[in-house]
Structures are given as structure tokens and as C-alpha cells.
Amino acid sequence: MTDTSTAVQTAREYYNSHDAHTFYHSIWGGEDLHIGTYRLPEDSIFEASRRTVQNMAGFSANLSDQCTVLDLGSGIGGSARYLAKTYGCRVVGLNLSEVENERHRNMNTEQGLDHLIEVIDGNFESVPKPDASFDLVWSQDAILHSANRRQVLSEASRVLRTKGEMIFTDPMQTEDCFHEFLDPILRRLFLQSLATPSFYRRTALDLGLEVLAYENQPQHLVNHYAKVLEETTAREQMLKAKGVSEEYLQHMKEGLKNWVLGGTYGHITWGLFHFRKQ
């Protein structure tokens, strides 16, 4: 099994790198760093990514100006700002990349939301907050980076108040996947596996979380990575001009193709989970 500290350190170094930070900020539209929900072929990555945030928020019964939210793997804070701006809730963004967190804080200040959003440098396998601190735990396409995903869900359950909710999305391997489709992706993530939908549902029940909903939406994963590949190819010279290395771009394009293939042939999926603490 991959050592937890190794997986965490690898993810931190990757997202702190100039190549990765410049790529994601440039290609995703400057706010969100997660899989989008596409309705039309011409949807931009920003539009689709923001639609995912809106869809997730629609599942919550707790969002209001009285709600406290923990965003696990908050990236540069697009979701945190959306929730704070739309609902007036207080958000804590926990993220391991100091580079992303600095941009997150600056954007909060620029948009007049820094009084509602706290950004913490940290690891979601050990949340530096007391028990029963939050009404909602939120996460988008981040838990896959952990080598101890049960611990992440355990921490989420610990910090939730009774009747608190956990709403998250994650790319996963299907229950009957062929590993030859996964191996190139896993090597880049320095992991030995992805979670399966049944793992998340089973673990939630073990931790005393009620499973309210699971939506399996693999087509959005395929659409999203195909769109990112298209944008990366079209804007490759711009990315190089910003200092993104040729090696990084070639690895990224190859990785995106692998995600599309894995999703197309039913070996990788993506879904939304809604849990509630009993």
C-alpha cells in the first residue's frame, strides 16, 4: 500500500509546482479546479465547473448564513467563494498546496469575501479543527489523492455536527475495471488504486453516516477530460509562453487521453455522494 505521507507529499509538491499551478489556473478559467458538468459542446470549462458547484449545493438542506462549511482540498477556492457569496455561510478551506492557498487568500480579498473564508494549510487526513465544528463537509475531486481515504471520511464524520452533511465528488475506478486502463493514471498519482463507489458507501455506513444519494455520472468525466485536452492542445503555445515545460505538457496530454479512454470503456467513473451524520 502507498504510504500516506508519501502520497500527501507527492500531491503537495505537484500542486505547488509552477507547471501545475500555471496550467490549472490558466485552463480551468481561474476559479475552479475540478470536473465540470457539460450540457452543450460549446460549454467552457469554467461554465461546466461552476455548474457542478451549483448542482452540489442543491443537495444540501443546511446551506444558509448560519451554516459553517469545511471544504476539503479547496484548491484556489472557487467553490468556497461561491458558497460564501451565494448563501452567506462561513467556509474553511483546507488544502495542502501553499501556492494554491496563497492565490485563494488573495482572490478572497479581491472579491471582498475574506471575512467569510478562512484558508488553512493542511492535510485532510488530519483536520486541525475540533469535533462537531461544521454543518457541511464539502470536497471536489480531491479525496482520490489520499492513500488513506477511510481516514479522510473518518475525519469528515468527526468534525460534522449531528445531522450535518457531507457532499463530495471523486473520480473512481469501477467495480470491475481492467487495471491496464488504470496503471498509467495511478503511476502519475503515485497511488496503487482509486476508490470504488461501493467503498465510499460502505465506509460511510461503517462511520455512522447515512447515505442519502449517489449519482454515477461517468459521461461528465469523459466530457471534461476531453474538453481539457482540446483546450490544452489549442493553448499550448500560450502555456509555454507562461513557462510551462514541454515535458509537463506532453505528460498532461497523455494523462488526459488515459482518463478519456478509461471513462469511455467503463473502467473509471465519477460521481456525487451525499451523506448525513446520524
Side-chain angles (χ1 to χ4, degrees), residues 28 34-38 48 52 141 144 169-174 181-182 185 189 194-195 214-229 255-272:
W28 253 260
H34 52 76
I35 290 174
T37 302
Y38 293 80
T52 297
D141 309 334
L144 79 158
T169 59
D170 214 35
M172 296 164 282
Q173 63 187 65
T174 56
F181 281 88
L182 292 183
I185 293 169
L189 296 172
L194 298 173
Y214 168 60
E215 290 194 355
N216 183 44
Q217 300 177 339
Q219 190 56 47
H220 290 311
L221 180 145
V222 173
N223 291 344
H224 181 77
Y225 284 114
K227 185 74 168 186
V228 174
L229 177 59
L256 292 168
K257 291 174 185 176
N258 289 331
W259 280 105
V260 171
L261 281 172
T264 299
Y265 289 99
H267 303 287
I268 299 172
T269 190
W270 178 76
L272 182 153

Side-chain angles (χ1 to χ4, degrees), residues 53-259:
V53 177
Q54 294 167 339
N55 290 349
M56 291 173 66
F59 279 83
S60 177
N62 289 335
L63 281 170
S64 72
D65 59 3
Q66 301 301 307
C67 180
T68 55
V69 181
L70 173 64
D71 185 357
L72 298 176
S74 52
I76 59 174
S79 300
R81 285 186 291 276
Y82 175 84
L83 296 173
K85 188 181 301 182
T86 304
Y87 298 97
C89 51
R90 304 189 73 85
V91 185
V92 173
L94 178 66
N95 194 50
L96 52 74
S97 167
E98 295 87 356
V99 172
E100 288 182 344
N101 289 345
E102 187 62 23
R103 186 181 288 273
H104 185 171
R105 294 184 187 100
N106 290 339
M107 293 178 75
N108 294 343
T109 300
E110 290 166 4
Q111 296 183 31
L113 294 168
D114 49 312
H115 65 295
L116 290 175
I117 304 172
E118 175 188 6
V119 183
I120 297 175
D121 300 338
N123 170 16
F124 48 32
E125 294 170 3
S126 180
V127 178
K129 290 292 182 180
D131 296 356
S133 299
F134 296 95
D135 302 299
L136 173 63
V137 171
W138 177 285
S139 185
Q140 289 179 261
D141 309 334
I143 301 175
L144 79 158
H145 290 294
S146 173
N148 191 347
R149 300 178 189 106
R150 181 184 176 88
Q151 177 64 19
V152 178
L153 265 63
S154 178
E155 281 291 271
S157 178
R158 179 183 67 78
V159 300
L160 277 174
R161 300 184 176 105
T162 301
K163 303 301 180 184
E165 301 169 294
M166 182 177 188
I167 300 174
F168 73 99
T169 59
D170 214 35
M172 296 164 282
Q173 63 187 65
T174 56
E175 310 292 338
D176 59 350
C177 70
F178 293 171
H179 276 272
E180 54 264 37
F181 281 88
L182 292 183
D183 287 345
I185 293 169
L186 296 173
R187 282 197 299 271
R188 293 193 71 236
L189 296 172
F190 293 87
L191 294 170
Q192 293 191 3
S193 68
L194 298 173
T196 60
S198 64
F199 167 82
Y200 280 132
R201 292 194 297 264
R202 183 175 65 251
T203 302
L205 294 172
D206 288 346
L207 294 170
L209 298 169
E210 181 183 3
V211 179
L212 298 181
Y214 168 60
E215 290 194 355
N216 183 44
Q217 300 177 339
Q219 190 56 47
H220 290 311
L221 180 145
V222 173
N223 291 344
H224 181 77
Y225 284 114
K227 185 74 168 186
V228 174
L229 177 59
E230 175 187 315
E231 286 290 309
T232 301
T233 302
R235 301 172 69 186
E236 190 165 349
Q237 294 308 311
M238 176 274 290
L239 290 166
K240 289 179 180 178
K242 289 186 174 185
V244 179
S245 69
E246 174 72 25
E247 181 183 13
Y248 179 88
L249 289 170
Q250 293 309 312
H251 279 299
M252 176 58 70
K253 289 190 291 184
E254 189 63 32
L256 292 168
K257 291 174 185 176
N258 289 331
W259 280 105

